[in-house]
């Protein structure tokens, strides 16, 4: 595999590390399997791309994308809490609605961002360092910029989950009845958690648009499965209950997963094409869920719904 | 102080399965009183606790705790006044979280949870001291996940947790029913110690008439959603299990027909 292809795989892996963190919050922390993210990833990309193309500062555009993602997550939580709609269905409803909303936001199915300012430009101070290593300039800058963003957000999230508020959120997912008996407003924590999760995924979308150079309505398909794949892979590599390691393993899982996919697509003898990505992902996640002993979000979900 | 006045609770109103769990129940518990509650299956014992904790809503009547009308308060709001230990050892703690995290959750009961660290040195020291009082060696296992503990250990920690926030009212919902006899005796003994030391107002639901007489200062029997008798003081001291059965027959004019209540 070429250096450029490897850097590309790490770059997309870092973007999906944010998706993995979002999925970790809903599936693992809150025990709220949220499918909204298939709509929130393109939403984040759409908001950021439309605003940047309209001349808005890329930092503001990215922040606006995060807010849009949080709002989308709140809608899903609201459908579930206020109207007792099953969480899976609530997520699918929002995700379906988002497809139309994303088209409205963008006005066209695809916005190119070539030669537009992006948040990556704010990391140009790294360029002299990169020049010294002799690595290809632009791709390496993208990887380093994303790495810094992802590490900062991962550290903030780990810190958040160790606060009193974050601990209450973990209790909400682990044992809601006990949480309420301890004075925790579980509804509020579900709202905040699902909003936060979708905010992270929208940020991933916004960064995707700015690193890949375009936003497209179709990029959301399979987001949830890719995020889950990263979480499961990370958990398989690091078997732990510690929050810090769990967050770190989400990041490693996301990058390892993208590298594995890139290797598979590169191996000519397998005969795979880029368009086979979703099939490969679904098969891999399916196998991971079938394996015994693998920490398994879906299995615990089904066990719970059984009488 | 607890005051329950003319409380009615009906589950599944208007359906073939309509169940009038409480039918005008009256009960007041003075500060520092330790009441045991008995009754056959379906008598309304658990519903009484749920009405107090907020898990069930009274459709008529009022519930007061420490002189505050909490009838319309949801469960989390009531947690500032009431602590509860559940029957199922799994229910009262989070098995995915560590012992110290569970205790930190309980210590913050009834106050705002902000963005400060949930655990710090002074808190860990406090939790270690509290756990050492149990004599189970748990003070050296603060970072272990709760799921590694046995049912009895979990109930003991649940009891400790109920005292951390300084609330004065404690609800115990058959909290030894899922334990083996020796562990149950240990947890009951611990309950008595904690209630005495912290001068709590406690309400303990039990299936065992023996335990109901051996613990606390007053015993209430529920039947069909009402209090059928309420004994305390010298009269209660002189009573044994057969006397309770006789009393029930005398008041209700029928034999008590619940094997589990008679056998325990």
């Amino acid at each position: 595999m070429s250096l450029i292809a490897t850097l590309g795989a790490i770059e997309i892996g870092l973007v999906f590390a944010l998706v993995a963190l979002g999925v970790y919050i809903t599936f693992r922390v809150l025990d709220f399997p949220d499918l909204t993210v298939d709509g929130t990833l393109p939403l984040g990309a759409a908001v950021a791309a439309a605003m940047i193309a309209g001349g808005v500062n890329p930092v503001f555009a990215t922040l606006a994308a995060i807010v849009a993602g949080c709002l989308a997550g709140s809608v899903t939580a609201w459908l579930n809490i206020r109207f007792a709609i099953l969480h899976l269905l609530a997520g699918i409803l929002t995700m379906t609605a988002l497809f139309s909303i994303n088209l409205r936001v963008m006005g066209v199915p695809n916005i190119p961002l070539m030669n537009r300012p992006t948040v990556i430009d704010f990391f140009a101070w790294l360029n002299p360092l990169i020049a010294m290593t002799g690595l290809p300039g632009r791709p390496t800058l993208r990887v380093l910029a994303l790495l810094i963003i992802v590490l900062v957000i991962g550290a903030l999230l780990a810190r958040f989950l160790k606060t009193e508020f974050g601990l209450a959120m973990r209790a909400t997912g682990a044992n809601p009845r006990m949480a309420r008996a301890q004075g925790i407003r579980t509804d509020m924590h579900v709202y905040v958690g699902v909003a936060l999760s979708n905010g992270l995924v929208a940020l991933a979308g916004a960064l995707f648009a700015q690193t890949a150079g375009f936003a497209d309505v179709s990029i959301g398909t399979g987001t949830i499965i890719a995020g889950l794949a990263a979480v499961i892979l990370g958990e398989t590599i690091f078997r732990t209950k510690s929050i810090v390691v769990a967050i770190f393993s989400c990041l490693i899982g996301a990058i390892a997963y993208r590298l594995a996919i890139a290797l598979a697509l590169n191996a000519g003898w397998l005969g795979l094409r880029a368009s086979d990505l979703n099939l490969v992902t679904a098969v891999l996640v399916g196998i991971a869920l079938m394996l015994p002993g693998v920490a398994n979000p879906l299995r615990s979900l089904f066990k719970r719904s059984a009488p | 102080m607890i005051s329950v006045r003319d409380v009615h609770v009906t589950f599944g109103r208007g359906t073939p399965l309509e169940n009038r769990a409480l039918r005008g129940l009256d009960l007041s518990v003075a500060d520092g009183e330790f009441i045991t509650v008995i009754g056959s299956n379906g008598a309304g014992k658990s519903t009484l606790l749920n009405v107090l904790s907020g898990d069930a809503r009274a459709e008529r009547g009022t519930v007061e705790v420490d002189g505050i009308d909490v009838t319309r308060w949801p469960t989390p709001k009531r947690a500032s006044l009431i602590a509860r230990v559940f029957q199922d050892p799994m229910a009262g703690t989070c098995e995915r979280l560590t012992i110290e995290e569970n205790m930190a959750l309980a210590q913050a009961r009834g106050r705002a949870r902000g963005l400060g660290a949930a655990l710090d040195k002074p808190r860990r020291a406090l939790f270690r001291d509290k756990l050492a009082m149990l004599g189970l060696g748990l003070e050296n296992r603060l970072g272990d996940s709760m799921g590694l503990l046995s049912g009895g250990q979990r109930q003991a920690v649940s009891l400790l947790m109920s005292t951390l926030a300084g609330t004065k009212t404690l609800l115990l919902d058959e909290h030894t029913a899922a334990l083996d006899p020796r562990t149950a005796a240990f947890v009951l003994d611990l309950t008595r110690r904690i209630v005495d030391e912290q001068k709590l107002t406690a309400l303990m639901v039990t299936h065992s008439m023996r335990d109901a007489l051996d613990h606390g200062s007053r015993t209430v029997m529920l039947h069909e959603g009402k209090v059928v008798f309420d004994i305390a003081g010298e009269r209660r001291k002189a009573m044994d299990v057969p006397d309770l059965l006789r009393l029930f027959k005398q008041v209700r004019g029928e034999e008590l027909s619940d094997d589990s209540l008679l056998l325990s």
Side-chain angles (χ1 to χ4, degrees):
Chain A
M1 206 160 76
S2 73
L3 181 61
I4 293 287
T6 311
L7 284 173
I10 295 174
E11 181 184 317
I12 191 79
L14 284 166
V15 168
F16 269 82
L18 294 172
V19 175
L21 291 181
V23 169
Y24 176 78
I25 293 175
T26 47
F27 274 70
R28 284 290 191 254
V29 174
L30 281 178
D31 210 357
F32 185 113
D34 174 33
L35 305 187
T36 318
V37 292
D38 271 31
T40 339
L41 187 86
L43 174 69
V47 170
M51 287 177 84
I52 290 173
V56 178
N57 180 312
V59 174
F60 287 128
T62 307
L63 291 177
I66 297 174
V67 172
C70 290
L71 285 175
S74 309
V75 170
T76 300
W78 181 65
L79 290 173
N80 172 253
I81 291 168
R82 180 69 180 76
F83 303 102
I85 297 172
L86 181 70
H87 36 33
L88 289 168
L89 193 55
I92 291 172
L93 282 173
T94 313
M95 180 230 289
T96 306
L98 280 175
F99 186 81
S100 303
I101 290 173
N102 293 341
L103 273 169
R104 282 273 181 175
V105 169
M106 297 208 295
V108 287
N110 188 299
I111 297 181
L113 282 181
M114 291 301 170
N115 304 320
R116 293 277 184 180
T118 67
V119 285
I120 306 298
D121 300 337
F122 290 87
F123 294 86
W125 49 272
L126 287 166
N127 275 329
L129 281 169
I130 297 168
M132 282 193 288
T133 61
L135 289 163
R138 199 67 198 160
T140 312
L141 179 65
R142 284 201 297 264
V143 166
L144 284 180
L146 287 173
L147 184 67
I148 291 169
I149 293 172
V150 166
L151 284 179
V152 167
I153 285 182
L156 284 176
L157 183 60
R159 169 108 184 79
F160 168 73
L161 289 174
K162 283 173 168 282
T163 63
E164 292 198 322
F165 191 92
L167 184 61
M169 187 180 282
R170 286 154 68 198
T172 298
N175 186 346
R177 190 164 181 228
M178 177 270 197
R180 281 189 289 272
Q182 300 297 349
I184 294 167
R185 286 159 59 205
T186 48
D187 287 358
M188 187 263 289
H189 281 91
V190 171
Y191 272 114
V192 174
V194 177
L196 184 64
S197 163
N198 282 282
L200 284 175
V201 176
L203 171 62
L207 292 176
F208 175 85
Q210 294 173 65
T211 50
F214 70 96
D216 191 287
V217 282
S218 69
I219 58 169
T221 313
T223 306
I224 183 66
I225 296 299
L228 258 185
V231 171
I232 294 172
L233 188 59
E235 283 174 349
T236 317
I237 302 172
F238 304 92
R239 302 199 157 271
T240 178
K241 296 217 157 123
S242 141
I243 286 290
V244 177
V245 184
I247 296 231
F248 185 68
S249 67
C250 285
L251 309 184
I252 297 295
I255 297 167
Y257 170 70
R258 283 292 156 172
L259 281 173
I261 294 276
L263 276 176
L265 293 179
N266 259 279
W269 52 272
L270 278 173
L272 288 172
R273 291 186 215 157
S275 56
D276 296 332
L277 182 68
N278 280 352
L279 175 65
V280 174
T281 309
V283 169
L284 285 180
V285 173
I287 291 171
L289 293 178
M290 286 171 217
L291 289 176
V294 173
N296 186 334
L298 292 176
R299 192 171 294 154
S300 63
L301 182 72
F302 290 136
K303 207 162 65 188
R304 236 212 205 174
S305 55
Chain B
M1 195 197 69
I2 300 171
S3 163
V4 176
R5 256 173 275 139
D6 191 32
V7 162
H8 292 253
V9 174
T10 308
F11 296 116
R13 177 178 284 286
T15 70
L17 293 171
E18 181 175 289
N19 172 18
R20 296 171 61 201
L22 295 184
R23 311 175 187 183
L25 185 130
D26 288 291
L27 181 70
S28 31
V29 188
D31 276 334
E33 214 172 9
F34 183 173
I35 291 202
T36 56
V37 180
I38 49 171
S40 48
N41 285 329
K45 306 184 299 278
S46 291
T47 309
L48 170 61
L49 284 200
N50 285 336
V51 154
L52 286 170
S53 74
D55 286 2
R57 291 292 180 91
E59 62 209 32
R60 255 172 64 195
T62 56
V63 180
E64 280 181 18
V65 178
D66 295 343
I68 305 167
D69 185 344
V70 299
T71 317
R72 301 273 156 242
W73 285 22
T75 307
K77 198 170 174 192
R78 290 195 204 190
S80 58
L81 301 171
I82 302 170
R84 181 173 194 182
V85 180
F86 293 93
Q87 175 177 359
D88 178 2
M90 305 295 208
T93 51
C94 289
E95 55 181 329
R96 291 213 306 253
L97 303 183
T98 62
I99 297 176
E100 57 184 8
E101 285 170 340
N102 272 283
M103 294 183 81
L105 282 170
Q107 202 207 15
R109 178 154 40 82
R111 59 180 176 80
R113 292 165 204 263
L115 293 177
L119 284 161
D120 53 23
K121 247 193 187 151
R123 268 179 218 172
R124 284 202 172 96
L126 172 76
F127 298 161
R128 197 170 288 128
D129 287 350
K130 293 269 179 191
L131 286 169
M133 289 183 350
L134 298 179
L136 294 170
L138 295 176
E139 62 274 16
N140 302 318
R141 298 175 61 187
L142 281 177
D144 277 10
S145 97
M146 204 72 192
L148 296 173
L149 269 52
S150 70
Q153 288 172 328
R154 288 176 80 156
Q155 288 304 69
V157 175
S158 292
L159 267 173
L160 262 192
M161 283 164 56
S162 70
T163 67
L164 286 175
T167 42
K168 285 295 167 200
T169 304
L170 177 61
L171 306 179
L172 303 157
D173 186 4
E174 297 193 47
H175 66 307
T176 59
L179 308 176
D180 66 79
R182 227 184 53 180
T183 316
F186 166 76
V187 171
L188 274 174
D189 193 54
L190 180 69
T191 309
R192 179 160 30 190
R193 241 171 67 200
I194 285 177
V195 171
D196 284 351
E197 278 169 16
Q198 317 258 338
K199 299 189 175 52
L200 302 178
T201 309
L203 210 142
M204 178 172 93
V205 165
T206 172
H207 230 90
S208 157
M209 293 193 157
R210 183 74 266 151
D211 288 344
L213 287 175
D214 288 350
H215 297 271
S217 53
R218 189 175 146 199
T219 296
V220 170
M221 181 160 190
L222 301 188
H223 191 70
E224 292 178 347
K226 277 185 172 165
V227 174
V228 284
F229 63 72
D230 184 342
I231 48 171
E234 292 305 316
R235 182 174 175 222
R236 176 171 178 272
K237 258 181 210 154
M239 281 193 136
D240 203 349
V241 172
D243 302 319
L244 281 183
L245 294 174
R246 244 192 314 279
L247 186 60
F248 178 82
K249 192 178 172 189
Q250 204 183 322
V251 177
R252 294 290 307 174
E254 56 185 298
E255 295 278 350
L256 192 62
S257 56
D258 184 338
D259 290 346
S260 61
L261 202 53
L262 296 179
L263 290 173
S264 54

